[in-house]
Amino acid sequence: MKFVAVSSCPTGIAHTYMAAEALEQAGKAAGHEVFVETQGAAGSTPLDPQIIADADGVIYAADLEVKDKGRFAGKPAIDVGVKKAVHDPVGVIAMAVAAVEAAPQRVAGAAPAPVPAQAARKIGVGTRIRQYLMTGVSHMIPFVAAGGILIGLGFMLGGYKVYEFAETSLFNGDFNVTSKMAWGALLFWAGKAAFFFLVPALSGYIAYAIADRPGITPGFVGGLISATVGAGFLGGLASGFIAGFLALWISRWKVPKGVRGIMPVVVTPLLAVIGTALMMYVVLGRPIAALMKALSSWLNGMSGANIIILGVILGLMMAFDMGGPLNKVAYVFATTGLQAVLANPTTDATQFKIMAAVMAAGMTPPLGLALATAVRGALFTEEERENGKAAWLLGASFITEGAIPFAAADPLRVIPSLMLGSGITGGLVMAFGSTLRAPHGGVWVTPLIGQPLAFLAAVLIGTVVTAAAVIIVKGVGRSRTANAAVVPVVVGSAV
């Protein structure tokens, strides 16, 4: 059979493409052809209409609304969500085959027989909220990564005086191409410009996820107000939801036909911006700003055992779902704190230590699994050993999602092992006092790390601990399986 599929996940980064690859491989192994359209962060290339026409069935492995779903009308379809496709692609293919076989048969040359409508997969309120949040975070991350790395490079080239140099010379058109200070100032301010959009992008795309295009304008405006009044990341979350639901409510008003055409471009943005501004300036902005100020003071006052415990907790969060909501909460907590202090020349700010702990803890899961497959390859399948080779680069680049294939295949043993290694790594980074001014990059931004040797030592220790834990738990599980298989033979002989 021939199948077409659409895969998408809330962030559009890892699971989208892992689901596509898993479905293609499972289909090939079962003797079927599967063509997948990935609707991810990198954009999507629509499937050829002829491929859709020739397909026997459709697979929706999507956690977000499928774009142009009407293209697949009239064909048997299943809707399983992206995680099912990643964890059990063989089962998904079997479900698709069953759906095709149960559908009314089509006579050659006749119009497609109507296919009974499939009940939509029920999505709970909690899942919806998570989708809105992750949509905002996924669109925010490029601003964070680009801005943070540029600012870090600016400091590396020009030292901590780049801010002053830009104000006195760069803004007046005095740019010397041979001056490291000039280039440092340029990179610093380019990064600052990118970082400026962090909270507005978060707020704007949360609102977009809720209300589609009518939510973008009030969402961005609400995010900018949050940044202006000092409400920061928490304010951006609040303004995104306020703007999104307000725009959604207004767009559903029953209005005369003459007004309907201008609703999405004039009326909805206008009224939603007013409502969002009212809420953020008058009601929520100042209390959230006070909370953010208190949080910042608390973080800066942390020291000793407390900051090590914080590092352990952040490490556990980074490894728990490897790119999922809990991982992103820890990452966004670090990056938004980084944004707040990057213009401050203080080298030992707690926020810089938090960023270092989060990145180090996010590197160890794929690195630990790569080491485990290299040391004890017999404990892993051939496919896992191949994934282990790629995990070296993924881990070194701070792409925690490289550990997902291993965790999906054996979550009860792999995930606790990853959390052990990442928790130790996060705590060690805090204890060593390493700092980081870039929000991403892995080993490739080592020049931007304070106490780089200590940082790398923490990553190495966490990698070894992760690998050892995985090898031990897999070895124990394998031994028990082997013993269980031997017992019936012994008993039979005795009888």
Side-chain angles (χ1 to χ4, degrees), residues 170-316:
L170 185 63
F171 296 160
N172 297 323
D174 182 14
F175 183 78
N176 183 355
V177 295
T178 63
S179 168
K180 286 177 61 178
M181 176 64 78
W183 281 106
L186 177 65
L187 294 177
F188 173 84
W189 281 98
K192 288 267 298 182
F195 247 31
F196 176 80
F197 291 98
L198 189 155
V199 174
L202 173 68
S203 176
Y205 284 105
I206 287 175
Y208 168 74
I210 296 170
D212 211 334
R213 291 184 181 180
I216 291 180
T217 299
F220 266 87
V221 172
L224 182 58
I225 293 172
S226 298
T228 303
V229 301
F233 166 64
L234 293 179
L237 292 177
S239 64
F241 280 100
I242 291 169
F245 284 115
L246 192 56
L248 181 64
W249 174 60
I250 295 171
S251 64
R252 290 178 175 177
W253 287 356
K254 302 296 183 182
V255 297
K257 290 183 179 179
V259 182
R260 200 173 301 164
I262 63 171
M263 282 292 291
V265 294
V266 178
V267 178
T268 300
L270 174 65
L271 296 180
V273 165
I274 294 173
T276 304
L278 177 66
M279 289 297 295
M280 296 310 299
Y281 272 129
V282 179
V283 181
L284 295 177
R286 293 187 182 279
I288 296 177
L291 178 62
M292 291 293 292
K293 185 176 180 180
L295 177 62
S296 179
S297 299
W298 174 68
L299 288 175
N300 285 328
M302 293 186 74
S303 61
N306 290 333
I307 199 168
I308 294 174
I309 292 172
L310 177 61
V312 171
I313 293 172
L314 291 171
L316 295 173

Side-chain angles (χ1 to χ4, degrees), residues 6-11 14-20 22-23 59-64 79-93 95 121 123 126-128 130-131 134 320-328 401 404-405 407-409 411 415:
V6 177
S7 66
S8 71
C9 65
T11 58
H15 289 78
T16 298
Y17 304 99
M18 291 171 62
L23 289 174
I59 300 170
Y60 297 121
D63 283 351
L64 301 180
D79 186 350
V80 296
V82 71
K83 287 187 178 180
K84 176 73 173 176
V86 172
H87 295 172
D88 185 21
V90 174
V92 172
I93 296 297
M95 291 170 60
R121 184 165 48 95
I123 299 178
T127 301
R128 283 289 187 195
R130 181 176 66 87
Q131 289 177 349
M134 298 303 282
F320 177 73
D321 53 3
M322 295 151 285
L326 203 60
N327 170 285
K328 287 296 183 288
E401 289 86 346
I404 290 177
I415 292 178

